[in-house]
Amino acid sequence: MKALSERRGMTMRAIADELALSAPTTTKIVDRMVQEALVYRAPDPSDRRKVVLFLSEKGAERLAAQSARVNEQETKAEDAYGNEHAEKLRAMLESFIRRME
């Protein structure tokens, strides 16, 4: 949802590439999100054979709520371990994620 919120529509292929997921896995995730009305599909204006995905209003609300929870957890980590240690942990996690792609 975050990737969709940062762009004006994305193809399934672009989402799969962004998340480093296979096409079938991406399709399953997106299908569930469409069923929950978090995203919606629309024809690609430049190529009617393609479908572009957009974040719905409900999806934007859900994303905002999730982002608030993430920020709250980051604040708790900084309070518990100090800003320097929390930054090191964040950097290590980002490095780990990049290596997994």
Side-chain angles (χ1 to χ4, degrees):
M1 288 191 301
K2 188 169 187 330
L4 286 173
S5 74
E6 295 170 348
R7 294 170 186 80
R8 189 75 186 126
M10 293 179 76
T11 64
M12 291 289 280
R13 171 56 126 183
I15 292 172
D17 291 346
E18 176 88 12
L19 301 176
L21 296 173
S22 69
T25 299
T26 303
T27 299
K28 288 177 188 175
I29 292 169
V30 169
D31 285 348
R32 276 185 268 152
M33 292 173 71
V34 168
Q35 286 177 343
E36 292 182 38
L38 301 173
V39 301
Y40 64 92
R41 294 178 173 105
D44 186 336
S46 62
D47 184 348
R48 305 295 262 171
R49 296 171 295 173
K50 292 182 181 179
V51 173
V52 181
L53 295 156
F54 296 91
L55 188 64
S56 69
E57 188 173 319
K58 181 179 178 182
E61 291 170 0
R62 173 91 49 96
L63 178 61
Q66 290 173 344
S67 294
R69 285 195 298 271
V70 167
N71 291 337
E72 181 181 316
Q73 293 303 317
E74 286 179 348
T75 299
K76 285 181 181 180
E78 288 174 2
D79 291 346
Y81 300 106
N83 191 33
E84 184 179 332
H85 284 90
E87 274 301 316
K88 285 181 183 177
L89 175 59
R90 187 177 297 117
M92 288 171 36
L93 289 171
E94 288 173 359
S95 174
F96 174 75
I97 291 167
R98 278 192 302 276
R99 290 176 190 225
M100 297 302 291
E101 293 177 343

